[in-house]
Amino acid sequence: TMATISTRISIETDLGRIRLLMNLDAAPVTVEYIQKCVEAKLYDGTSFYRSDFVIQAGLYGTNKSNPFGDLSVNETSLHTKVSNTRGTAAIAHFDVPDNGNTEFFINLGTNAHLDDVYGGYCVFASVEEHDAESWGVVDAIADA
């Protein structure tokens, strides 16, 4: 049986809170995977470590291990396809056939090339359009 999936997750940072609306239509397996990582507190004490055309976070650079392993599938083109536009969150991964793991990023602009390169980067969530606090935090991290 599948646990109830949250429709939103909150990321607490030193600069404030980012709320992400999960997209079950586009990436049900990925959403469930990220929720398990959040519930297991894998992201606690980690930080966004990249800020160029995306801000990226995950277990990279920590001594934490991921008990869930890699994602079983890259859902980029399996369901409702969502483009990598400003404010969308997607799973980071290496070359095909890598499906990714705990690493994710939030797009700082439209990055349509990420929709197809290396099998595509699966969008699983987004910052809501009218969430000024979250947008402010995303931009502050990018500018830090």
Side-chain angles (χ1 to χ4, degrees):
T1 62
M2 188 178 278
T4 301
I5 306 283
S6 296
T7 56
R8 287 178 176 76
I9 60 170
S10 290
I11 304 166
E12 301 292 336
T13 75
D14 292 341
L15 299 174
R17 177 184 303 156
I18 301 170
R19 284 177 294 279
L20 294 176
L21 177 64
M22 306 306 269
N23 191 331
L24 283 166
D25 291 337
V29 171
T30 305
V31 166
E32 182 179 17
Y33 178 90
I34 291 294
Q35 182 174 320
K36 285 193 318 189
C37 291
V38 169
E39 289 172 354
K41 301 188 184 310
L42 292 184
Y43 297 111
D44 289 9
T46 65
S47 61
F48 284 90
Y49 60 83
R50 174 182 182 180
S51 61
D52 43 20
F53 63 102
V54 300
I55 56 173
Q56 186 166 328
L59 301 185
Y60 177 79
T62 73
N63 60 1
K64 293 185 175 193
S65 61
N66 176 5
F68 307 116
D70 289 347
L71 272 157
S72 61
V73 63
N74 179 339
E75 296 180 284
T76 299
S77 298
L78 293 182
H79 311 289
T80 303
K81 190 167 184 176
V82 179
S83 186
N84 282 271
T85 57
R86 177 166 162 73
T88 56
I91 293 294
H93 63 80
F94 295 107
D95 298 345
V96 173
D98 185 9
N99 297 321
N101 50 44
T102 61
E103 303 300 305
F104 70 93
F105 58 85
I106 299 173
N107 287 287
L108 298 175
T110 297
N111 295 310
H113 66 285
L114 297 179
D115 296 345
D116 299 306
V117 69
Y118 300 125
Y121 290 82
C122 179
V123 172
F124 66 89
S126 61
V127 176
E128 291 184 89
E129 186 178 344
H130 301 293
D131 186 348
E133 178 189 2
S134 293
W135 285 109
V137 174
V138 167
D139 291 335
I141 292 170
D143 292 340

